[in-house]
Amino acid sequence: MDLDQIWQQFMDHLLDNDEITQASIKKFTGIPFLYIDFHPAQNDISKLSIIIKKAAGLSMRGKQLHCETIFVRQEEPLYVFRHRFYVPQQKMFCCGNLCPDCILYRS
């Protein structure tokens, strides 16, 4: 799975919002950070979190991906989030501990 396409779709969906003027990704030590210039009508970070989740959901639709977004800091009007897309890990063998996600329970 090519995550570069997912990131590009995600950024396109973010920039479709009128309150977001600019968005960029910078990687530090392999961790992607999302920098967003956000100019809301009222100062509300929860609205920005919802916008990010909707954009991520649209870009992940139809794929087995998950995302994680963690707020890092804010410097008006710049907001910084740690955001990543990841493929869920699945067990490949039975360890014998009768785990609830054991491969023996798959149909």
Side-chain angles (χ1 to χ4, degrees):
M1 180 177 306
D2 187 18
L3 287 180
D4 291 334
Q5 290 178 344
I6 303 298
W7 274 104
Q8 186 59 44
Q9 289 177 0
F10 173 66
M11 296 303 286
D12 291 341
H13 290 303
L14 272 181
L15 292 172
D16 285 343
N17 192 304
D18 294 335
E19 295 176 330
I20 295 177
T21 57
Q22 187 178 5
S24 62
I25 304 165
K26 295 180 184 176
K27 284 190 177 184
F28 296 102
T29 63
I31 300 170
F33 288 90
L34 187 59
Y35 289 79
I36 299 176
D37 280 337
F38 183 60
H39 299 280
Q42 56 194 13
N43 195 0
D44 190 12
I45 192 167
S46 62
K47 184 176 181 182
L48 181 58
S49 296
I50 291 170
I51 292 170
I52 293 171
K53 286 181 184 181
K54 284 183 181 179
L58 287 172
S59 57
M60 294 186 307
R61 183 170 288 153
K63 298 168 182 69
Q64 287 190 352
L65 284 175
H66 294 289
C67 72
E68 177 185 49
T69 306
I70 299 171
F71 176 74
V72 177
R73 64 184 162 89
Q74 167 189 357
E75 295 174 9
E76 291 293 337
L78 182 69
Y79 293 82
V80 181
F81 292 88
R82 190 175 78 202
H83 183 84
R84 70 181 191 122
F85 292 104
Y86 60 95
V87 180
Q89 294 180 352
Q90 295 181 354
K91 294 180 90 175
M92 302 301 286
F93 61 92
C94 176
C95 62
N97 291 331
L98 299 175
C99 303
D101 60 344
C102 184
I103 64 162
L104 298 177
Y105 298 134
R106 292 186 196 157
S107 51

